[in-house]
Amino acid sequence: MANWWRVSSRLAVAWVGFATLSTVARAQNAPEVIDGNGWIAIAIIVGLVALVGLMISGAISVSSRDKPDGDGAGFGVLEGIDDDEEDKKK
């Protein structure tokens, strides 16, 4: 019985080794999926980040422009909500 375990464990190790080597060989022979200029990719990413920043700053400026000058409560969607309203009623 000990001989069977030894043989089966060696076969399992050999099978794992073959599977690993064949996977590595396939990966080395595979064509590159992404090709092109890296600087263009960086420029696209920076442009998208700048676009998101401009959209956020635009939304903030629109919400602050619509707020009356005398009211300091709230911001954007929370405009008009004041934590101290309950204290003023008392």
Side-chain angles (χ1 to χ4, degrees):
M1 190 62 142
N3 192 21
W4 184 82
W5 284 108
R6 188 171 0 122
V7 170
S8 62
S9 65
R10 285 183 183 176
L11 284 174
V13 168
W15 184 81
V16 169
F18 175 74
T20 303
L21 289 176
S22 65
T23 304
V24 170
R26 262 190 258 142
Q28 287 176 349
N29 290 331
E32 291 185 18
V33 177
I34 299 174
D35 57 350
N37 193 348
W39 290 107
I40 293 175
I42 292 172
I44 290 172
I45 292 171
V46 168
L48 289 173
V49 169
L51 182 65
V52 168
L54 288 172
M55 290 176 67
I56 291 172
S57 67
I60 290 173
S61 69
V62 166
S63 67
S64 65
R65 182 186 64 196
D66 293 340
K67 182 173 56 170
D69 292 335
D71 185 20
F75 177 76
V77 177
L78 303 174
E79 185 175 341
I81 297 175
D82 192 6
D83 292 337
D84 298 328
E85 283 185 22
E86 309 225 350
D87 293 338
K88 290 178 184 177
K89 291 179 183 176
K90 289 182 181 180

